[in-house]
């Protein structure tokens, strides 16, 4: 028996095989019709695939959720109705890499008996789906399956959780900072899981990136391959049963035991979006807005949020030169930081680990060497705000009181650290922290935590998030880590999820051969111009100046350039790039454009097309690698040039090099 029904402009219920209605297939297309996803509903399960211009990027993959009381979403499904719509709107984005984001998609909602739905959306950039529940009362989610079947043994950029782990359980506590392993899916280390985003190579040079969004009250998703096949499957941290204070300086919550399920929810619930972005060329990956589009929109007034930069002391170990006092955690030192920030128009200073007594985990206690109200007063006179570092456990324990107390004192925000989990309890902490901090008009920089999933869009006072292998890793004397290659890989993968608390700005720069990890006198890999470019290429609404004010004062030319770079933008466009090789990005604020470019350890010459500037005559202040920067990484040349009439600019970068420009009329 044949049954054909037209659902909507982009949907078609395909021919079913006998018996009647035993399988239904829906086809959802993107607005530009390049994407096509077939969703098959059988009597036993639900599967979908993804095609892009005829190329099969993802083969049919199962999705379902197992619940308590024998219930399930997507297992033995019984379709009860469908709904479709098209949306084309503009989303305002005040604290983002662009002022406006076009949100254009076709949507299919599949309703099932059992009071649940699955919503699929097709964008011109990718496909997303989520489960939604209308079940009244409490639900326990025992597990969720998100399957990713690839037709061939594809290469992938895999961010494994960590090396040398003994058990799966031990992997759920991690800092989400690993570098990428580039290998075939079939070569996956079956003892390890990987966090998102994860990038897989597809057909005809295309790539597929797996992400998630709108994670507010649910554990984060990991991926694994347990059998050496071409299939990846989801895995989630079970719900914590017992959590004890412990870890670094007693600032962490250590999970001692877990429940046999992953989440507890109640009432009407929308679960996180599962996102599959497909790119035709690599530069599209570094300029993608899917997580932003799929995040819950902010509620309330966030006009008070002030992004910017912060002078930061931990990376360079409070080292100041030429002063007549012992530097460290004391008022004299921090007044020097405030004076430096004021001279260069830097909005904040950050007081990191040490302002509160160690091992006491009490944020109401301040070391006797500091007078915080006096520092707040001194900073206010000079238009510099203070942000305080805080460990997760004491912040969570006294959240409301801590936020109220320090907000009334005049503190501008907190850098909260050492969460290092993304089970449901920890994800809920992030949501609550953002909400309470917003109540008291405090910024949040979430450090030592998982990748962004849209919380920064829902609560714009969350001005930065770590989940990145940042410059701080260069302090630690471990085996050589190729940070330079990571720097031109991460923007195409991790940065798709959202901003990065990378903490760039090193003035001591080293070639590959000369680099050494020195904890209290750290350096960066790659050239000086690379450090300048990172302020343009990396998304960071709150950006650190990681080096010493003494170093910056000696390098006034570079410091002035860094201090003048905005941290939020009117427009962003990635000009060119290739994963793990090079990237060039242009960003606009007002009538000024900035261009940043970086390469890996290979010398690179690229031609940048500046036709986006439009008509008129333009000048540029440019910083390019010096002729000897390949061995003396601090060598650079600053020039003032006229932008050519043909709008083409050749940029040569030495190994580990970079390029930065400020363009104006």
């Amino acid at each position: 028996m044949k049954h054909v029904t037209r659902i909507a402009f982009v949907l078609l219920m395909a021919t079913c095989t006998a018996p009647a209605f035993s399988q239904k297939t829906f086809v959802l297309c993107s607005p530009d019709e390049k994407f096509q996803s077939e969703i098959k509903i059988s009597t036993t399960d639900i599967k979908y695939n993804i095609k892009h211009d005829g190329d099969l990027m993802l083969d049919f993959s199962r999705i379902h959720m197992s619940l308590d009381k024998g219930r399930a979403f997507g297992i033995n499904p019984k379709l009860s109705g469908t709904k479709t719509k098209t949306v084309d709107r503009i989303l305002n984005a005040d604290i983002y890499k662009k002022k406006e984001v076009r949100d254009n998609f076709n949507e299919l909602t599949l309703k099932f008996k059992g009071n649940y739905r699955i919503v699929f959306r097709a964008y011109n950039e990718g496909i997303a789906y989520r489960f939604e529940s209308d079940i009244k009362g409490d639900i326990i989610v025992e597990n969720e399956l998100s399957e990713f079947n690839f037709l061939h043994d594809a290469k992938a950029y895999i961010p494994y959780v960590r090396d040398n782990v003994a058990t799966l359980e031990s992997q759920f506590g991690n800092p989400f900072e690993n570098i990428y392993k580039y290998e075939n899916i079939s070569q996956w280390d079956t003892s390890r899981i990987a966090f998102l985003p994860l990038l897989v190579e597809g057909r005809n040079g295309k790539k597929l990136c797996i992400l998630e969004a709108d994670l507010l009250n649910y554990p984060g998703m990991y991926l694994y391959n347990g059998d050496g096949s071409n299939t990846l499957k989801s895995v989630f941290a079970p719900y914590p049963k017992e959590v004890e204070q412990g870890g670094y300086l007693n600032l962490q919550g250590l999970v001692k035991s877990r429940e046999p399920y992953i989440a507890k929810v109640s009432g009407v619930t929308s679960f996180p979006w599962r996102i599959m972005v497909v790119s035709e060329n690599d530069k599209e990956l570094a300029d993608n807005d899917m997580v932003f589009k799929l995040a819950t929109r902010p509620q309330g007034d966030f006009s008070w949020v002030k992004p910017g930069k912060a002078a930061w002391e931990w990376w360079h170990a409070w080292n100041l030169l030429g002063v007549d006092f012992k530097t460290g955690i004391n008022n004299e030192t921090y007044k020097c930081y405030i004076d430096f920030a004021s001279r260069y128009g830097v909005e904040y200073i950050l007081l990191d680990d040490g302002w509160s007594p160690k091992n006491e985990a009490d944020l109401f206690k301040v070391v006797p060497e500091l007078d915080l109200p006096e520092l707040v007063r001194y900073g206010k006179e000079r238009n510099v705000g203070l942000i305080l570092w805080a460990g997760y456990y004491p912040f969570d324990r006294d959240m409301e009181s801590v936020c109220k107390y320090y907000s009334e004192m005049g503190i501008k925000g907190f850098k909260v650290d050492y969460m290092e989990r993304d089970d449901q309890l920890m994800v809920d902490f992030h949501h609550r922290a953002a909400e309470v901090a917003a109540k008291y008009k405090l910024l949040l920089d979430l450090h030592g935590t998982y990748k962004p999933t849209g919380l920064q869009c829902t609560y714009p006072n969350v001005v930065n998030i770590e989940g990145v292998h940042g410059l701080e890793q260069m302090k630690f004397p471990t085996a050589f880590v190729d940070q330079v290659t990571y720097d031109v890989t991460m923007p195409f993968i991790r940065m798709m999820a959202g901003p990065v608390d990378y903490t760039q700005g090193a003035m001591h720069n080293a070639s590959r051969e000369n680099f050494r990890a020195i904890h209290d006198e750290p350096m960066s890999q790659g050239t000086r111009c690379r450090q300048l470019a990172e302020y343009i290429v990396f998304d960071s609404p709150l950006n650190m100046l990681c080096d010493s004010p003494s170093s910056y004062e000696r390098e006034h030319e570079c410091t002035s350039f860094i201090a003048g770079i905005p941290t939020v933008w009117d427009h962003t466009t990635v000009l060119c790039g290739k994963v793990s090789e090079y990237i060039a990005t242009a960003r606009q604020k007002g009538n000024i454009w900035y261009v940043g470019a970086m390469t890996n350890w290979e010398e690179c010459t690229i031609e940048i097309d500046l036709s986006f500037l439009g008509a008129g005559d333009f000048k540029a202040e440019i910083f390019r690698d010096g002729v000897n920067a390949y061995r003396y990484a601090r060598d650079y040349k600053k020039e003032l040039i006229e932008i050519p009439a043909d709008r083409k600019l050749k940029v040569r970068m030495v190994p580990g090099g970079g390029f930065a420009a400020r363009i104006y009329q």
Side-chain angles (χ1 to χ4, degrees), residues 130 213-216 270 273 291-299 431 453-460:
R130 78 187 313 173
D214 217 26
L215 184 71
L216 297 173
S270 293
W273 288 102
V291 170
F292 181 92
K293 295 174 184 179
L294 290 164
T296 297
R297 303 267 61 81
Q299 301 295 317
H431 186 189
T453 58
L455 184 66
Q456 73 281 6
C457 309
T458 308
Y459 292 93

Side-chain angles (χ1 to χ4, degrees), residues 220 244 395 488 559:
E244 292 182 0
F395 188 83
V488 290
T559 304

Side-chain angles (χ1 to χ4, degrees), residues 5-161:
T5 304
R6 290 197 175 276
I7 304 296
F9 45 89
V10 293
L11 304 172
L12 177 67
M13 185 185 293
T15 302
C16 298
T17 58
F21 306 105
S22 63
Q23 178 168 291
K24 302 177 180 67
T25 299
F26 299 88
V27 179
L28 178 65
C29 297
S30 59
D32 65 4
E33 299 186 352
K34 284 190 175 183
F35 274 101
Q36 185 182 81
S37 180
E38 295 180 53
I39 302 112
K40 289 186 177 181
I41 306 171
S42 72
T43 56
T44 57
D45 57 28
I46 299 171
K47 300 177 181 178
Y48 74 100
N49 71 2
I50 298 175
K51 295 179 181 178
H52 183 271
D53 264 355
D55 291 325
L56 184 63
M57 299 299 298
L58 190 69
D59 204 359
F60 282 107
S61 303
R62 295 175 297 160
I63 55 174
H64 66 244
M65 299 178 72
S66 303
L67 313 180
D68 60 337
K69 301 178 182 178
R71 298 174 293 184
F73 298 158
I75 298 176
N76 302 324
K78 295 179 175 60
L79 187 68
S80 62
T82 63
K83 182 180 178 181
T84 65
K85 69 177 180 181
T86 291
V87 170
D88 193 355
R89 60 185 175 180
I90 298 297
L91 303 175
N92 293 324
D94 292 331
I95 303 174
Y96 193 52
K97 59 187 178 183
K98 55 191 71 171
K99 287 183 67 173
E100 295 181 340
V101 174
R102 185 182 178 190
D103 189 28
N104 183 205
F105 59 87
N106 292 324
E107 182 178 280
L108 165 66
T109 299
L110 301 170
K111 302 176 184 179
F112 296 90
K113 293 180 180 178
N115 295 315
Y116 72 94
R117 300 177 297 278
I118 306 178
V119 181
F120 282 87
R121 286 187 183 176
Y123 291 82
N124 292 340
E125 306 100 309
I127 302 291
Y129 75 86
R130 78 187 313 173
F131 285 89
E132 296 180 346
S133 170
D134 286 331
I135 295 176
K136 296 179 180 179
D138 297 334
I139 302 173
I140 288 178
V141 182
E142 295 177 348
N143 208 348
E144 177 186 347
L145 174 66
S146 289
E147 199 173 60
F148 302 91
N149 288 323
F150 298 94
L151 268 184
H152 63 288
D153 186 13
K155 286 275 191 180
Y157 294 83
I158 306 171
Y160 287 118
V161 165

Side-chain angles (χ1 to χ4, degrees), residues 272-463:
W273 288 102
R274 311 300 176 208
I275 307 171
M276 285 64 62
V277 169
V278 174
S279 67
E280 293 187 80
N281 54 71
D282 289 358
K283 72 175 184 178
E284 295 174 359
L285 295 167
D287 190 14
N288 186 277
D289 302 308
M290 285 280 280
V291 170
F292 181 92
K293 295 174 184 179
L294 290 164
T296 297
R297 303 267 61 81
Q299 301 295 317
D301 177 22
F302 287 91
S303 60
W304 55 270
V305 175
K306 182 182 178 182
K309 297 187 183 69
W312 178 49
E313 20 73 318
W314 179 86
W315 192 76
H316 59 270
W318 293 265
N319 290 328
L320 297 174
L321 302 178
V323 297
D324 56 3
F325 57 86
K326 187 176 181 180
T327 60
I329 300 170
N330 54 55
N331 270 35
E332 293 91 341
T333 297
Y334 284 114
K335 284 185 177 181
C336 281
Y337 283 87
I338 291 171
D339 290 340
F340 161 73
S342 181
R343 282 194 295 274
Y344 283 94
V346 173
E347 293 85 354
Y348 303 101
I349 69 165
L350 173 62
L351 283 68
D352 210 282
D353 186 11
W355 67 268
S356 186
K358 291 182 181 293
N359 290 310
E360 296 192 27
D362 186 345
L363 293 175
F364 292 106
K365 292 183 178 180
V366 180
V367 295
E369 296 83 1
L370 284 181
D371 181 346
L372 281 183
E374 166 60 14
L375 288 177
V376 169
R377 182 202 64 78
Y378 191 83
K380 186 175 181 181
E381 286 183 350
R382 290 153 181 79
N383 201 29
V384 177
L386 274 64
I387 297 173
L388 301 178
W389 182 90
Y392 149 71
Y393 197 92
F395 188 83
D396 188 24
R397 182 188 59 212
D398 302 318
M399 187 186 300
E400 184 88 24
S401 299
V402 163
C403 288
K404 183 176 187 297
Y405 176 74
Y406 284 104
S407 175
E408 290 174 351
M409 183 186 292
I411 296 297
K412 299 302 182 183
F414 285 95
K415 174 184 176 179
V416 187
D417 203 350
Y418 282 103
M419 286 73 83
E420 297 193 350
R421 295 173 10 227
D422 66 348
D423 50 52
Q424 187 184 22
L425 278 183
M426 187 56 76
V427 171
D428 178 65
F429 160 76
H430 286 67
H431 186 189
R432 290 185 292 107
E435 188 173 48
V436 173
K439 176 181 176 181
Y440 294 100
K441 291 182 166 54
L442 293 168
L443 306 179
L444 278 186
D445 176 5
L446 298 173
H447 207 71
T449 193
Y450 56 90
K451 80 284 178 187
T453 58
L455 184 66
Q456 73 281 6
C457 309
T458 308
Y459 292 93
N461 61 310
V462 178
V463 285

Side-chain angles (χ1 to χ4, degrees), residues 481-497:
V481 174
D482 187 352
Q483 190 72 13
V484 159
T485 300
Y486 179 84
D487 289 347
V488 290
T489 305
M490 175 272 291
F492 300 93
I493 307 174
R494 159 60 182 85
M495 215 165 69
M496 289 182 67

